[in-house]
Amino acid sequence: PWVEEAEGPDHTSRLALAPLSRRFLGGLVDALVLVVAAALFALIFWRAGGHLSPQPLNVVIFAFIAVVFIMGYFGAFTALTATTPGLLWVGIEVRSQAGGLPSPQQAFWRAFGYLVSISALMLGFIWALVDSDGLTWHDRMSDTFLTDAENAVESRHSTAYR
C-alpha cells in the first residue's frame, strides 16, 4: 500500500508501507529491549529485598508497571524520534497517514494500541496479515503506519527544498 504525501499544489509523492517481515523483526527487537529492561528492574527490586507473591495487589502493581513501561517506551520514542530502537535497527520510521511525522497524540494512541493488541492475545499484530492495507490495530487507532526510513527522509528533504 501507498500513502500519498502532499508536497505542493502540483504533485505528490507516495510512501510505501514497510514490509511485514521487517516490521516483525523490529517488533521483536523492541520486545527484547522491554524484556531486558523489565529483567533489570526485577533484579534491582529483588536485590533490594523485594519479593512478589500472587496476591491481587501485587498483580495489579505488576500490571501497572508493565503498562507504564510499554506506554513510556513506545509513546516517548515515537513522539520524540518517530521510531523505536527496534524500528531504527531495521530502518523503519513511523509516519502519519498524511505522510508527516506523528504528532504526540498519535504517538500516545499508537502506544495505547500496542496495549490493546497485546491484551487481545496479540491479535492486533496478527491483524496485519488479513487487513486490506496490511495495517495493525495500533496503526489504525493512531492513523499512522511504518515506512522505510530512507524514503521518509528523502521525502522530507524534497518537501523542504521545493
Side-chain angles (χ1 to χ4, degrees), residues 21 28 43 54 63 65 70 75 80 83 85 93 101 137 141:
S21 59
L28 286 179
L43 178 64
I65 291 170
I70 292 169
L80 297 173
T83 191
E93 186 175 276
L101 295 174
W137 286 357
M141 290 176 72

Side-chain angles (χ1 to χ4, degrees), residues 11-72:
H11 61 282
T12 60
S13 70
R14 299 169 75 158
L15 294 173
L17 187 65
L20 190 57
S21 59
R22 285 180 46 210
R23 293 166 26 200
F24 178 74
L25 184 58
L28 286 179
V29 172
D30 284 330
L32 180 63
V33 169
L34 283 169
V35 166
V36 168
L40 287 173
F41 182 81
L43 178 64
I44 292 168
F45 177 77
W46 177 72
R47 293 289 291 165
H51 65 280
L52 286 177
S53 61
Q55 295 176 4
L57 181 60
N58 287 342
V59 172
V60 168
I61 291 171
F62 177 75
F64 176 76
I65 291 170
V67 166
V68 168
F69 264 75
I70 292 169
M71 289 292 293

Side-chain angles (χ1 to χ4, degrees), residues 104-122:
Q105 292 83 9
Q106 287 175 311
F108 167 80
W109 283 111
R110 187 171 179 82
F112 181 74
Y114 278 106
L115 291 173
V116 172
S117 295
I118 290 167
S119 66
L121 303 176
M122 308 300 274

Side-chain angles (χ1 to χ4, degrees), residues 120-131:
L121 303 176
M122 308 300 274
L123 186 59
F125 296 99
I126 297 168
W127 186 258
L129 297 172
V130 297
D131 186 81

Side-chain angles (χ1 to χ4, degrees), residues 7 12 73 100 132 142 144 158-159:
E7 289 186 1
T12 60
Y73 180 84
S132 61
S142 63
T144 60
S158 66
T159 302

